[in-house]
Short mmCIF file of all heavy atoms in Angstrom, two decimals:
data_model
loop_
_atom_site.label_atom_id
_atom_site.label_comp_id
_atom_site.label_asym_id
_atom_site.label_seq_id
_atom_site.Cartn_x
_atom_site.Cartn_y
_atom_site.Cartn_z
N PHE A 182 -42.63 32.68 26.38
CA PHE A 182 -41.93 31.60 26.90
C PHE A 182 -40.45 31.66 26.47
O PHE A 182 -39.51 31.33 27.39
CB PHE A 182 -42.39 30.22 26.27
CG PHE A 182 -43.84 29.91 26.74
CD1 PHE A 182 -44.94 29.73 26.05
CD2 PHE A 182 -43.96 29.72 28.25
CE1 PHE A 182 -46.08 29.45 26.51
CE2 PHE A 182 -45.13 29.44 28.66
CZ PHE A 182 -46.31 29.27 27.80
N LYS A 183 -40.12 32.23 25.40
CA LYS A 183 -38.62 32.40 24.94
C LYS A 183 -37.88 33.36 25.98
O LYS A 183 -36.88 33.17 26.39
CB LYS A 183 -38.64 33.02 23.64
CG LYS A 183 -37.23 33.13 23.07
CD LYS A 183 -37.35 33.74 21.57
CE LYS A 183 -35.89 33.98 21.04
NZ LYS A 183 -35.98 34.52 19.60
N LYS A 184 -38.68 34.42 26.30
CA LYS A 184 -38.03 35.37 27.26
C LYS A 184 -37.94 34.68 28.72
O LYS A 184 -36.97 34.94 29.31
CB LYS A 184 -38.89 36.66 27.39
CG LYS A 184 -39.09 37.34 26.05
CD LYS A 184 -37.81 37.97 25.62
CE LYS A 184 -38.13 38.93 24.37
NZ LYS A 184 -36.81 39.37 23.80
N ALA A 185 -38.98 34.08 29.12
CA ALA A 185 -38.98 33.40 30.41
C ALA A 185 -37.85 32.32 30.45
O ALA A 185 -37.17 32.24 31.59
CB ALA A 185 -40.25 32.68 30.71
N ILE A 186 -37.56 31.61 29.40
CA ILE A 186 -36.49 30.59 29.48
C ILE A 186 -35.14 31.19 29.74
O ILE A 186 -34.44 30.71 30.50
CB ILE A 186 -36.44 29.75 28.22
CG1 ILE A 186 -37.74 28.82 28.10
CG2 ILE A 186 -35.24 29.08 28.06
CD1 ILE A 186 -37.74 28.14 26.76
N LYS A 187 -35.00 32.42 29.13
CA LYS A 187 -33.65 33.14 29.25
C LYS A 187 -33.45 33.31 30.81
O LYS A 187 -32.36 33.22 31.31
CB LYS A 187 -33.64 34.41 28.49
CG LYS A 187 -33.48 34.15 27.01
CD LYS A 187 -33.33 35.60 26.34
CE LYS A 187 -33.11 35.41 24.88
NZ LYS A 187 -32.95 36.72 24.15
N PHE A 188 -34.46 33.81 31.49
CA PHE A 188 -34.43 34.21 32.94
C PHE A 188 -34.45 32.78 33.77
O PHE A 188 -33.68 32.77 34.76
CB PHE A 188 -35.49 35.01 33.41
CG PHE A 188 -35.33 36.27 33.00
CD1 PHE A 188 -36.17 36.87 31.80
CD2 PHE A 188 -34.59 37.30 33.48
CE1 PHE A 188 -36.06 38.19 31.26
CE2 PHE A 188 -34.49 38.56 33.02
CZ PHE A 188 -35.17 39.05 32.04
N GLY A 189 -35.08 31.83 33.27
CA GLY A 189 -35.01 30.52 33.93
C GLY A 189 -33.70 29.83 33.94
O GLY A 189 -33.20 29.39 34.92
N TRP A 190 -33.01 29.69 32.75
CA TRP A 190 -31.74 29.16 32.77
C TRP A 190 -30.80 30.10 33.23
O TRP A 190 -29.75 29.86 33.86
CB TRP A 190 -31.28 28.74 31.38
CG TRP A 190 -32.15 27.56 30.71
CD1 TRP A 190 -32.79 27.57 29.48
CD2 TRP A 190 -32.43 26.29 31.23
NE1 TRP A 190 -33.33 26.39 29.25
CE2 TRP A 190 -33.20 25.61 30.27
CE3 TRP A 190 -32.06 25.71 32.42
CZ2 TRP A 190 -33.60 24.23 30.55
CZ3 TRP A 190 -32.58 24.43 32.71
CH2 TRP A 190 -33.26 23.69 31.74
N GLY A 191 -30.92 31.47 32.91
CA GLY A 191 -30.04 32.45 33.24
C GLY A 191 -28.73 32.17 32.85
O GLY A 191 -28.42 31.70 31.76
N ARG A 192 -27.78 32.31 33.78
CA ARG A 192 -26.30 32.12 33.51
C ARG A 192 -25.90 30.88 34.21
O ARG A 192 -24.79 30.83 34.80
CB ARG A 192 -25.38 33.24 33.97
CG ARG A 192 -25.78 34.63 33.12
CD ARG A 192 -25.07 35.72 33.72
NE ARG A 192 -25.39 36.94 32.98
CZ ARG A 192 -24.98 38.25 33.36
NH1 ARG A 192 -24.17 38.40 34.37
NH2 ARG A 192 -25.33 39.20 32.61
N ARG A 193 -26.75 29.90 34.21
CA ARG A 193 -26.48 28.73 34.97
C ARG A 193 -26.44 27.42 34.06
O ARG A 193 -27.30 26.72 34.00
CB ARG A 193 -27.58 28.47 36.08
CG ARG A 193 -27.82 29.71 36.91
CD ARG A 193 -28.89 29.47 37.80
NE ARG A 193 -29.26 30.65 38.51
CZ ARG A 193 -30.08 31.66 38.11
NH1 ARG A 193 -30.64 31.56 36.88
NH2 ARG A 193 -30.30 32.81 38.79
N PRO A 194 -25.41 27.32 33.33
CA PRO A 194 -25.30 26.18 32.34
C PRO A 194 -25.31 24.82 33.01
O PRO A 194 -25.54 23.73 32.30
CB PRO A 194 -24.03 26.50 31.48
CG PRO A 194 -23.21 27.29 32.37
CD PRO A 194 -24.19 28.16 33.23
N TYR A 195 -25.00 24.93 34.27
CA TYR A 195 -24.90 23.64 34.87
C TYR A 195 -26.31 23.14 35.53
O TYR A 195 -26.47 22.04 35.98
CB TYR A 195 -23.91 23.76 36.23
CG TYR A 195 -24.17 24.94 37.07
CD1 TYR A 195 -25.16 24.95 38.08
CD2 TYR A 195 -23.59 26.12 36.84
CE1 TYR A 195 -25.39 26.07 38.78
CE2 TYR A 195 -23.71 27.20 37.57
CZ TYR A 195 -24.73 27.29 38.53
OH TYR A 195 -24.95 28.46 39.40
N ASN A 196 -27.27 24.00 35.45
CA ASN A 196 -28.50 23.62 35.85
C ASN A 196 -29.28 22.70 34.87
O ASN A 196 -29.31 23.05 33.65
CB ASN A 196 -29.52 24.98 36.04
CG ASN A 196 -29.34 25.54 37.43
OD1 ASN A 196 -28.56 25.24 38.15
ND2 ASN A 196 -30.34 26.47 37.60
N LYS A 197 -29.76 21.61 35.44
CA LYS A 197 -30.46 20.65 34.53
C LYS A 197 -31.83 20.99 34.33
O LYS A 197 -32.39 20.78 33.30
CB LYS A 197 -30.19 19.24 35.19
CG LYS A 197 -30.87 18.13 34.31
CD LYS A 197 -30.68 16.78 34.92
CE LYS A 197 -31.44 15.73 34.08
NZ LYS A 197 -31.42 14.31 34.59
#
Side-chain angles (χ1 to χ4, degrees):
F182 291 121
K183 182 179 178 181
K184 301 293 185 184
I186 286 175
K187 285 185 178 180
F188 287 98
W190 293 131
R192 298 174 181 173
R193 306 173 188 88
Y195 50 84
N196 273 12
K197 183 180 178 182

